[in-house]
Amino acid sequence: MRAIYPGSFSPPTLGHLDIIRRAAKLFDEVVVAVLSQPEKSYLFSLDERKDMLKRILSGIPNARVVADTGLLADVARREGADVLLRGIRDASDLPLEMQMAAANRQIGGVDTVFLVCSPEYSLLSSSIVRDCARHRAPINGMVPPEIVNDIYAACLRGVGL
Ligand code: ADP
C-alpha cells in the first residue's frame, strides 16, 4: 500500500520525520508531498523544502519526495497513492483535519489515515522552529541536524518564494 504524506514542511521537523519513519514501517511506500498554496508565502522555496526532505529521508529506502503547487487530490492520483497520511498533535488539530479529510474523500475518493504524533513532538511546529531560528535561538532537538544551517540561513535571509 502506498501512502502520500502532504504538508508545507517549512521547515521539516523531527515531528514530521517521526511520522514518516513510523509510516515507512506500516506502508510499502511513503510519498512525502511538499505543497505550496498560491495564497501563502513561505520562508523556504518549494525546491529548498524538497531538498531538505530528500536529505533527511536518505536513510529510508521506501520514502521519496515530490513537490507540487497543485491540488492534493490530483497529486495523490498521479502518484498512485492509496491513502493520504496526516499527523495529529492534539485535539486542536482535529476540526481542520476532519474537514480536509472529508473534502479529499469527496473530490478525490481517497481516505485519510491519521498517525498520532509521539509525545515528545506534540508541542513542536514549523512556525516555532522559524521563530526560534529568526532570533538565533538553538533549534537542535527540533529539526534533524543536517538541515540546521539551511534553516538559520533562510531565517536570516528573510522571506522565500
Ligand atoms: P500543513 O501546513 O499542511 O499543516 P505541516 O508541514 O505543518 O503542513 O504539517 C504536515 C503534517 O505533519 C500535518 O499532518 C501535521 O499535522 C503534521 N505535523 C506537524 N507538526 C508535527 C509534529 N510535531 N509531530 C507530528 N506531526 C506533525
Side-chain angles (χ1 to χ4, degrees):
M1 218 182 205
R2 181 179 297 154
I4 189 163
Y5 179 46
S8 317
F9 305 106
S10 186
T13 68
L14 288 176
H16 296 130
L17 182 57
D18 172 59
I19 295 283
I20 297 164
R21 279 203 179 116
R22 289 162 54 206
K25 293 183 186 149
L26 296 171
F27 297 99
D28 299 311
E29 189 179 28
V30 180
V31 179
V32 180
V34 194
L35 301 178
S36 273
Q37 289 161 25
E39 68 273 16
K40 276 199 192 170
S41 67
Y42 299 87
L43 184 59
F44 305 89
S45 71
L46 198 56
D47 276 348
E48 286 173 327
R49 287 177 274 148
K50 183 180 181 184
D51 177 69
M52 284 190 281
L53 276 161
K54 272 180 138 171
R55 275 188 280 142
I56 67 181
L57 300 182
S58 61
I60 310 177
N62 61 334
R64 63 186 171 87
V65 188
V66 298
D68 207 287
T69 53
L71 186 71
L72 173 58
D74 293 336
V75 181
R77 194 178 310 115
R78 188 191 68 209
E79 296 298 332
D82 300 294
V83 289
L84 307 181
L85 169 69
R86 294 284 287 177
I88 296 288
R89 279 166 290 187
D90 62 24
S92 69
D93 277 341
L94 275 179
L96 188 59
E97 292 295 339
M98 288 172 69
Q99 253 184 355
M100 290 196 294
N104 282 314
R105 188 144 186 252
Q106 194 176 339
I107 58 177
V110 61
D111 272 312
T112 301
V113 168
F114 296 107
L115 277 184
V116 175
C117 101
S118 299
E120 60 268 40
Y121 303 126
S122 64
L123 300 175
L124 181 56
S125 69
S126 297
S127 66
I128 293 281
V129 173
R130 291 195 300 271
D131 285 345
C132 291
R134 245 182 236 122
H135 297 283
R136 297 173 187 245
I139 54 171
N140 320 1
M142 296 184 182
V143 301
E146 56 268 49
I147 62 170
V148 166
N149 287 340
D150 306 63
I151 295 171
Y152 281 123
C155 287
L156 300 178
R157 171 193 71 195
V159 175
L161 299 169

